[in-house]
């Protein structure tokens, strides 16, 4: 909670860009360029956006290490509602792929991927799907607080002890669904939304039908990165804090047959969910220092 409530990261203003999708929608990007031939792409978390403190903190660290940075917004995030009834979900790798391909068209020599929470699952799932076909310019990835077991993590967040987190997500999602219902009244209905208490109910009612899944279970099964980790073919580090209140036990795979040859898991005792707070004079958090150290072993 500390970074969300109190962290301020001073940054130069990004250069915004909007790119089109194949289904007549759009993605909103924030570019931080300093003439580097290396680019890092940063994906935010559920109901986040490209200018959240955790995104800006990593962006600042990457810039200081000589990288250009591209932070992007999932559909409907970043203060601009997208144009289609669908919005975003944990397995929307077609959008990440579009962002990656757009970035590679800019003639960067090296690309690095990073993601937080849902964005971490999306990043690892994308790399697992790419597998042997992954572009040779992608050097690796780091993913933080990853709910790679979506079903299990949904069950954890449904616990009474996690009600404060669950209610905050639902409040944010209600505002989004209400706006969708005003634009697409024949597709999205928010009547009775107040009866929704957890992600199973939300995903059954909205995420699954709007994105072509049979139900929440089908969505979670198809979009969890856990089963695709072994297919990843670039060095990837997953950082899941042992005290993360959102993650199931399955989000801490200790079996190399699940992780595969290229993925490693670190589970620091502390860190919470996308926290990893460090009170240092330079303002960097532990997670940002870890990313730079990891990168310096890659390139």
């Amino acid at each position: 909670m500390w970074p969300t409530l109190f962290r301020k990261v001073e940054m130069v203003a990004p250069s915004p860009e909007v790119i089109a999708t194949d289904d007549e929608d759009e993605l909103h990007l924030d570019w931080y360029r300093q003439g580097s031939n290396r680019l890092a792409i940063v994906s935010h978390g559920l109901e986040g956006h490209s200018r959240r403190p955790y995104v800006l903190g990593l962006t600042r660290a990457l810039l200081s290490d000589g990288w250009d940075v591209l932070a992007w917004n999932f559909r409907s995030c970043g203060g601009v509602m997208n144009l289609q009834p669908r919005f975003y979900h944990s397995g929307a790798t077609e959008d990440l792929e579009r962002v990656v391909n757009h970035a590679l068209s800019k003639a960067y020599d090296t690309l690095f991927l990073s993601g937080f929470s849902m964005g971490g699952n999306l990043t690892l799932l994308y790399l697992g799907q790419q597998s042997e076909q992954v572009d040779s310019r992608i050097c690796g990835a780091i993913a933080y607080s990853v709910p790679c077991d979506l079903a299990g993590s949904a069950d954890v967040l449904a616990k009474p002890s996690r009600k404060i987190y669950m209610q905050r997500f639902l409040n944010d999602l209600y505002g989004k669904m209400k706006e969708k219902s005003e634009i697409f009244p024949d597709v999205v209905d928010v009547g009775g939304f107040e009866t929704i208490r957890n992600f199973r109910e939300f995903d059954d009612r909205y995420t699954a039908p709007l994105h072509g899944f049979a139900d929440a279970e089908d969505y979670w099964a198809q979009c969890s990165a856990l089963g695709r980790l072994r297919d990843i073919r670039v060095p990837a580090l997953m950082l899941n804090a042992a005290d993360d209140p959102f993650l199931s036990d399955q989000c801490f795979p200790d079996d190399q047959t699940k992780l595969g040859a290229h993925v490693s898991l670190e589970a620091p005792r502390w860190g919470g969910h996308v926290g990893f707070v460090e009170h240092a004079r330079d303002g960097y958090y532990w997670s940002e220092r870890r990313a730079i150290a990891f990168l310096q072993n890659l390139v």
Side-chain angles (χ1 to χ4, degrees):
M1 288 184 173
W2 176 272
T4 299
L5 297 175
F6 301 111
R7 192 182 194 192
K8 306 295 181 186
V9 181
E10 299 297 329
M11 290 285 298
V12 298
S15 299
E17 183 183 15
V18 180
I19 61 174
T21 65
D22 287 341
D23 59 346
E24 298 182 346
D25 213 334
E26 57 188 31
L27 301 173
H28 291 252
L29 320 181
D30 280 350
W31 286 92
Y32 299 86
R33 296 185 178 96
Q34 54 185 358
S36 178
N37 64 348
R38 301 176 297 161
L39 177 72
I41 295 178
V42 182
S43 301
H44 62 77
L46 179 73
E47 282 303 284
H49 54 77
S50 62
R51 302 186 189 184
R52 279 284 172 87
Y54 59 83
V55 174
L56 295 180
L58 180 60
T59 296
R60 181 177 61 183
L62 290 164
L63 288 169
S64 72
D65 197 48
W67 293 75
D68 283 5
V69 179
L70 169 55
W72 68 290
N73 292 285
F74 304 160
R75 300 191 198 206
S76 79
C77 297
V80 180
M81 182 53 68
N82 66 307
L83 307 177
Q84 297 294 329
R86 64 159 294 179
F87 52 112
Y88 66 87
H89 63 84
S90 294
T93 52
E94 69 277 7
D95 286 348
L96 177 54
E97 182 174 18
R98 180 166 296 278
V99 173
V100 168
N101 290 341
H102 180 68
L104 290 172
S105 74
K106 305 299 182 182
Y108 284 100
D109 296 336
T110 305
L111 200 69
F112 179 71
L113 305 183
S114 183
F116 295 87
S117 192
M118 175 183 276
N121 183 84
L122 190 69
T123 297
L124 296 177
L125 180 63
Y126 165 75
L127 290 173
Q129 291 171 344
Q130 292 293 303
S131 192
E132 301 287 354
Q133 283 70 51
V134 67
D135 193 285
S136 62
R137 289 167 288 183
I138 297 177
C139 68
I142 190 167
Y144 301 97
S145 305
V146 186
C148 56
D149 166 33
L150 294 175
S153 294
D155 288 342
V156 168
L157 276 166
K159 293 180 178 180
S161 60
R162 310 301 198 269
K163 184 176 180 179
I164 186 173
Y165 304 113
M166 191 71 254
Q167 196 56 54
R168 179 171 180 169
F169 282 134
L170 289 174
N171 288 343
D172 289 346
L173 288 166
Y174 171 73
K176 187 157 290 182
M177 292 302 100
K178 187 173 185 297
E179 187 173 351
K180 286 282 187 188
S181 72
E182 293 166 355
I183 302 170
F184 305 103
D186 295 333
V187 180
V188 179
D189 177 15
V190 292
F193 191 99
E194 68 278 1
T195 66
I196 294 176
R197 294 289 179 264
N198 52 53
F199 277 133
R200 179 179 297 277
E201 294 172 358
F202 179 85
D203 289 339
D204 269 337
R205 181 168 176 181
Y206 295 108
T207 311
L210 285 173
H211 300 97
F213 301 103
D215 53 24
E217 289 283 354
D218 181 46
Y219 159 51
W220 297 336
Q222 291 196 47
C223 296
S224 293
L226 183 61
R228 300 305 300 267
L229 297 178
R230 66 176 69 90
D231 299 322
I232 293 174
R233 293 295 182 267
V234 297
L237 174 62
M238 183 163 58
L239 289 175
N240 285 352
D243 66 341
D244 192 316
F246 293 10
L247 303 185
S248 70
D249 290 344
Q250 294 300 312
C251 294
F252 299 87
D254 57 4
D255 185 342
Q256 206 61 42
T257 62
K258 292 182 179 179
L259 290 171
H262 299 277
V263 179
S264 56
L265 169 71
E266 292 182 9
R269 184 178 180 186
W270 309 112
H273 190 73
V274 192
F276 305 104
V277 176
E278 178 181 337
H279 297 293
R281 290 180 180 273
D282 59 11
Y284 288 178
Y285 277 13
W286 177 84
S287 50
E288 293 145 16
R289 298 187 199 282
R290 186 67 190 91
I292 298 307
F294 179 66
L295 270 170
Q296 288 174 349
N297 284 326
L298 294 181
V299 296

